[in-house]
Amino acid sequence: MPFLQANNLSFQFDNGEMLFQQVSCSMTTYRVGLVGRNGIGKSILASILIGEQTPSDGSVSVPQSYAVYRQQPSHLLSGDLSIAQFLGKDDILEALKQIQSGDCSEYWFEVVGEQWDIFNRLSQQLKQMGLPPDPDFPCAKLSGGQLARLQLWQLLDSDVELLILDEPSNHLDSQVKQWLIDAMRVFDGAILLISHDRELLREMEEIWELSGLGLQVFGGNYDIYAEQKRAELQAVERQLASIDKQKKKLEEQAQRNREKAEQRAAQGNRLRKEGSQAKIILDGKKDKATASASNRSKNEQHRQVSLQEKAQTLKARKELMKEQKIYLADSQSRLRKVVTMLEGVLPFGRSEPITLQIHSDDKIHLTGRNGCGKSTFLKTLLGVFSLKKGEMQLNTSLYYLDQHFGSIHPQLSMLDNLIEQCHGMKESDARTLLAGIGFRRDSVFRLGHMLSGGEKMKLAMLIVSHQLEQPLLLLDEPDNHLDLDSKIMLAQALSNYRGGFILVSHDHDFADESGVNRKICF
């Protein structure tokens, strides 16, 4: 019996916009990854599948028991639950306290059962998860990343039939992400994973892709899915090439038919002038030739229309499947030392002094657990914070990109953002550059706050590449809220970037594809 099943689902917003339509699916494997570009409707589809939202059309078989992880556990931030209460361990811990205080009631011993070491085990587990080791610590005082870890821990320790995880690896460092992968592997129930994280998607047995083409199912994990997508794109390109050949062949055949018809007509006119054949016979031949030419023309037009329709369908499919790219300015920067730090001690996070040199072509992956000082290091370079001790020399311009692409002014249009942040740029040149990344005509007047994460990313990278000097990029988890296509696009842009950068990211695939040539671990 499927864990999830739906038939012909459609969802339409109140304003009439159709998000998706005629989507059917049946989840029969234990591990399924749901992928697709941001805004395509993955989270809404998942909420429909478990009965939280009602589709505009279609039917759903809701699972018997399920749990959902979402990125914003607001009830924990506003409530007064302790960690132990949230994990459902508070009764046992209370029983231990009562026994230790001298209350030997049989009830307390029944509550404890065989779990006499639960306090030490729980404290050790909390410590390993990067959480406060005190089980009575209030959830409301945890950071966003800590809340994510706590909620994932509680869900993966449950016995529900189906677990839906919506972007569970956001804000998780490499160590906790590995814990998440291990916990997913041993979870007894089924998991529907909504994610852009390729490490997690490699753990799946099946990939569902939601796109403008509907819901497509690919057997195997992410790597198999990616290979199938490449093969599918190549097949579409071959079909388009075949149609182009057929259209050319049809045009050549039509031209030959026209030439033959003209030759026959000329021969008929000559015979008519010579009077060597009866007029009635010549008229009959002419009518037959005209009818034949008309039929051929209709057949040719029908085939041309059919081929054109097939080509348009395939081109639309290719447009949805093809890999997008950002084309950046190609200017070479002179190699030089741009950052020197001697025995520098950060104001927060890492306490050990830092000594390093960074050159203008260094592409650095800065790694380490959450809270170790990676973001503090970037903001110290920016001058937001000062070193507690040590010296720092900066010999470059800097450009800071965080996960929200805050360098894009929310109340300025795309056009004005580009003109104002690129000294000396003319409006005509700005429009040409924006058209090159897909923004034409009136779309250049969309305000910064109206843009998606992927759109902000493309605009920010365009701005970066058209500075007077190639700045050193400070990238603080810029991939955190991007879909897979946008991640790949940004990685390609960074790999082609002629200047250097310092990248903070927990996605090692993204870092490798970005062309990092140096790693620093905090």
Side-chain angles (χ1 to χ4, degrees), residues 145-392:
Q146 289 174 324
L147 283 171
R149 283 171 255 167
L150 180 64
Q151 193 181 27
L152 285 166
W153 182 14
Q154 186 248 1
L155 291 173
L156 287 161
D157 197 38
S158 68
D159 57 359
V160 294
E161 180 185 67
L162 173 69
L163 193 55
I164 295 179
L165 304 178
D166 194 347
E167 295 291 354
S169 62
N170 279 6
H171 308 295
L172 300 187
D173 58 35
S174 299
Q175 186 172 341
V176 179
K177 189 195 289 189
Q178 187 57 52
W179 165 84
L180 173 59
I181 290 171
D182 294 339
M184 287 169 57
R185 287 173 180 168
V186 299
F187 179 69
D188 287 333
I191 294 176
L192 176 63
L193 171 72
I194 304 171
S195 181
H196 305 302
D197 191 313
R198 283 163 283 188
E199 285 185 75
L200 268 59
L201 291 169
R202 289 192 181 99
E203 300 294 318
M204 300 297 105
E205 301 167 323
E206 195 170 87
I207 301 294
W208 294 357
E209 182 188 54
L210 185 62
S211 71
L213 301 172
L215 188 72
Q216 292 179 278
V217 177
F218 298 83
N221 67 5
Y222 173 80
D223 291 329
I224 296 172
Y225 153 78
E227 184 56 41
Q228 287 177 313
K229 289 286 289 181
R230 281 191 288 271
E232 187 179 355
L233 180 57
Q234 289 170 357
V236 168
E237 289 173 339
R238 285 195 298 270
Q239 290 176 55
L240 278 169
S242 175
I243 286 175
D244 286 341
K245 286 182 181 178
Q246 291 178 59
K247 288 168 70 175
K248 187 176 180 180
K249 187 176 180 180
L250 182 60
E251 289 169 0
E252 291 172 349
Q253 183 63 49
Q255 180 61 29
R256 285 195 293 270
N257 290 338
R258 284 192 295 271
E259 290 173 355
K260 287 180 180 179
E262 290 170 358
Q263 290 172 0
R264 285 193 296 268
Q267 184 181 17
N269 289 332
R270 188 173 66 254
L271 291 172
R272 193 180 295 274
K273 288 179 181 179
E274 293 173 352
S276 59
Q277 287 192 13
K279 184 174 181 295
I280 191 169
I281 295 174
L282 291 173
D283 287 344
K285 287 182 177 180
K286 181 179 179 181
D287 291 342
K288 186 177 180 180
T290 301
S292 179
S294 177
N295 287 333
R296 280 199 305 271
S297 178
K298 287 179 181 178
N299 289 334
E300 288 166 1
Q301 288 176 3
H302 178 72
R303 288 185 64 192
Q304 285 174 344
V305 169
S306 177
L307 289 172
Q308 187 62 30
E309 288 176 348
K310 287 180 181 178
Q312 287 176 347
T313 301
L314 288 169
K315 285 177 181 177
R317 189 178 187 89
K318 181 181 176 182
E319 189 65 28
L320 287 168
M321 294 169 60
K322 74 178 184 179
E323 207 172 72
Q324 298 180 342
K325 293 182 179 180
I326 306 172
Y327 296 95
L328 302 178
D330 186 17
S331 58
Q332 184 66 270
S333 59
R334 184 172 56 86
L335 182 62
R336 65 189 192 281
K337 292 178 186 177
V338 292
V339 176
T340 300
M341 187 174 287
L342 297 173
E343 296 293 314
V345 178
L346 299 178
F348 312 105
R350 176 188 174 110
S351 57
E352 297 84 359
I354 301 167
T355 296
L356 55 75
Q357 287 185 335
I358 297 173
H359 293 83
S360 55
D361 66 342
D362 280 340
K363 296 187 173 183
I364 297 169
H365 186 197
L366 187 58
T367 64
R369 296 198 64 173
N370 286 337
C372 68
K374 301 185 297 294
S375 295
T376 303
F377 176 71
L378 297 186
K379 290 180 180 178
T380 301
L381 294 179
L382 283 168
V384 177
F385 301 132
S386 300
L387 291 174
K388 290 172 68 175
K389 294 180 181 178
E391 298 179 10
M392 181 180 73

Side-chain angles (χ1 to χ4, degrees), residues 414-434:
M414 301 180 76
L415 184 63
D416 288 338
N417 263 290
L418 185 55
I419 291 172
E420 289 202 7
Q421 296 193 53
C422 298
H423 183 72
M425 181 169 290
K426 298 178 181 178
E427 181 176 336
S428 58
D429 294 332
R431 281 180 171 274
T432 301
L433 291 171
L434 288 169

